[in-house]
Amino acid sequence: MTNQAGRFGIHGGQYIPETLMNAVIELEAAYNHYKNDPQFNAELETLFNEYANRPSRLYYAEKLTRELGGAKIYLKREDLNHTGAHKINNVLGQALLAKKMGKTRLIAETGAGQHGVATATAAALMGMECVVFMGEEDTKRQALNVYRMRLLGAEVIPVTTGTATLKDAVSEAMREWTNRIDDTHYCLGSVMGPHPFPTIVRDFQAVISKEIKAQMLEKEGRLPDVVMACVGGGSNAIGTFYHFIEDKDVRLIGCEAAGRGIDTFETAATINTGKLGIFHGMKSYFCQDEYGQIAPVYSISAGLDYPGIGPEHAHLHDIGRAEYVAVTDDEAVNAFEYLSRTEGIIPAIESAHAVAHALKIAPDMDKDKIIVITISGRGDKDCAAIARYRGEDIHE
Ligand SMILES: *Cc1c(COP(=O)(O)O)cnc(C)c1O
């Protein structure tokens, strides 16, 4: 089932079963109403500021800049948000919207558990029921986040279909939504899925670039030359890009997870290795095997190993407005350690992919150029895994 709604060039759309149409139509109508409602926006802004700790800082990384000897580097500190990442921006927006729509129950998918924890947090705050679908493999790898979600009052349902990972959790959450749309909102975690999700999630994450622009004008009196972010589904990256898309002199760079390399099968770099396809309700680029089946993806970073990318990124790539580069596990781990040592900031291993690319390009840029890197989350959650990567066994 498809129509022209929610297209980004040839990408996006609504490739969903008939049974889900009513739910997305209801959601789109409600969103179009509330996005222009001053009361809704005032409530959301209060939640952002008082609860999530916005605006997040735009921090001048002076020591990093000096060591690299090139462009001036600023860090957009989404790691300082409540729950430790950008995910809370989207979740507070969707939870508030769901509440206005009269829904009493939130469902969500989660991979590493970060989006599940953010959704469980918003549900606790707003007094809503919460059910999180998580691949069984991931529940074992991320036991601490499963505990957190349950502590916050959510029910966590292990998904055993397929490879029992993130893509299967998305499929299961969509199935559950089809079964129960009366009281339930599906709080989708990235700029993906059928319209209107890629637009809704982008709009809630766009607060990142709105703030960067204002903060940069205040600090430097001009726009940055480069803004960059890591890309899984692409929500923190589109949030970082959005208010700069029309500013053609600002380079937009998305950093994908190459895993063990884009010339291996152990990768999650969708733009660099994927092909056009239709999955999870949208047309976009996906990692696929020779038969067009969704390929298993791999990255050291659990938050980046999704086999697709949001349709708006696919379009920005097609028209050449944004660049998408691939960063390997090894490069990301080096950047994780380097930023920790240099600035005393431990980034999420996802965000370290963007830092890694900045380490490559900053030294060759003039000193009067400016780069902004979005630090999408904090890295405490990754310490045990990175220690293991370095051959050290620590107990959490
Ligand atoms: C989930 C997550 C990501 C990847 O998701 P996007 O939708 O691509 O932003 C990146 N960084 C962190 C810290 C995350 O938790």
Side-chain angles (χ1 to χ4, degrees):
M1 176 88 222
T2 155
N3 59 26
Q4 285 308 301
R7 289 284 173 182
F8 300 95
I10 62 165
H11 305 281
Q14 291 177 313
Y15 297 85
I16 53 176
E18 198 61 45
T19 43
L20 213 55
M21 271 319 281
N22 285 340
V24 298
I25 289 169
E26 184 195 11
L27 178 61
E28 184 179 11
Y31 182 63
N32 284 340
H33 172 75
Y34 284 109
K35 75 175 181 193
N36 298 316
D37 178 33
Q39 171 78 22
F40 177 85
N41 286 308
E43 279 179 52
L44 185 59
E45 193 175 341
T46 302
L47 284 170
F48 274 4
N49 297 353
E50 303 297 324
Y51 190 70
N53 199 31
R54 304 210 70 86
S56 68
R57 296 285 171 164
L58 183 69
Y59 166 74
Y60 170 41
E62 189 177 355
K63 195 153 163 260
L64 182 66
T65 298
R66 210 175 331 118
E67 281 200 15
L68 295 177
K72 201 165 177 183
I73 300 175
Y74 282 87
L75 307 177
K76 180 60 173 164
R77 300 288 310 275
E78 294 297 302
D79 57 313
L80 298 178
N81 297 344
H82 179 47
T83 69
H86 67 293
K87 296 241 163 58
I88 195 77
N89 306 330
N90 166 44
V91 160
L92 287 174
Q94 284 198 51
L96 186 63
L97 180 63
K99 196 149 189 177
K100 299 277 180 197
M101 292 171 73
K103 309 288 179 186
T104 55
R105 184 169 172 264
L106 295 178
I107 59 171
E109 83 294 344
T110 199
Q114 298 300 107
H115 175 59
V117 169
T119 306
T121 299
L125 175 70
M126 300 201 190
M128 299 171 90
E129 200 184 323
C130 181
V131 178
V132 180
F133 294 90
M134 188 171 188
E136 190 173 42
E137 267 312 302
D138 292 331
T139 62
K140 291 181 201 150
R141 289 192 288 204
Q142 306 288 340
L144 185 60
N145 275 339
V146 174
Y147 177 78
R148 282 197 185 105
M149 287 182 264
R150 291 187 171 141
L151 184 66
L152 291 159
E155 183 186 353
V156 179
I157 299 185
V159 175
T160 54
T161 49
T163 50
T165 56
L166 176 59
K167 75 168 173 40
D168 309 294
V170 174
S171 303
E172 201 53 41
M174 283 188 178
R175 230 182 328 266
E176 168 66 14
W177 200 30
T178 313
N179 289 336
R180 194 167 157 185
I181 55 180
D182 286 356
D183 65 348
T184 299
H185 172 68
Y186 176 18
C187 184
L188 216 159
S190 191
V191 282
M192 42 149 301
H195 176 69
F197 283 110
T199 300
I200 291 181
V201 179
R202 177 204 63 203
D203 288 352
F204 291 140
Q205 292 294 357
V207 67
I208 300 174
S209 50
K210 188 175 159 210
E211 288 175 5
I212 293 174
K213 209 168 197 174
Q215 291 165 323
M216 186 55 70
L217 287 173
E218 192 185 312
K219 284 175 193 288
E220 297 279 352
R222 69 173 185 91
L223 298 183
D225 299 284
V226 177
V227 295
M228 54 199 297
C230 65
V231 180
S235 70
N236 89 90
I238 209 79
T240 300
F241 296 171
Y242 187 66
H243 288 281
F244 295 108
I245 291 176
E246 299 303 321
D247 301 312
K248 296 289 181 317
D249 291 337
V250 180
R251 267 175 80 190
L252 314 175
I253 307 181
C255 304
E256 300 191 315
R260 301 213 159 86
I262 54 172
D263 49 354
T264 73
F265 289 105
E266 293 174 290
T267 181
T270 311
I271 293 276
N272 282 276
T273 68
K275 291 193 289 279
L276 190 64
I278 292 169
F279 188 55
H280 284 158
M282 60 177 172
K283 184 183 275 185
S284 189
Y285 294 112
F286 297 94
C287 298
Q288 301 170 48
D289 67 15
E290 55 188 306
Y291 306 106
Q293 299 291 334
I294 296 299
V297 286
Y298 163 81
S299 161
I300 188 170
S301 150
L304 300 183
D305 65 357
Y306 179 70
I309 185 166
E312 192 164 5
H313 286 293
H315 178 60
L316 291 174
H317 166 71
D318 285 357
I319 62 173
R321 177 64 189 96
E323 304 155 53
Y324 295 87
V325 299
V327 174
T328 64
D329 283 359
D330 231 22
E331 293 168 330
V333 169
N334 285 335
F336 176 88
E337 295 168 337
Y338 186 78
L339 190 67
S340 301
R341 260 197 328 267
T342 313
E343 291 286 348
I345 295 170
I346 304 173
I349 189 64
E350 290 84 3
S351 325
H353 285 71
V355 176
H357 191 66
L359 300 183
K360 287 185 210 169
I361 65 171
D364 295 329
M365 291 171 67
D366 287 341
K367 282 188 163 63
D368 61 356
K369 299 288 183 196
I370 300 172
I371 296 178
V372 177
I373 314 169
T374 291
I375 305 298
S376 54
R378 65 174 183 236
D380 311 50
K381 66 180 179 58
D382 301 307
C383 288
I386 304 302
R388 249 189 327 271
Y389 187 85
R390 292 298 192 208
E392 203 181 316
D393 202 12
I394 59 170
H395 294 278
E396 276 185 279

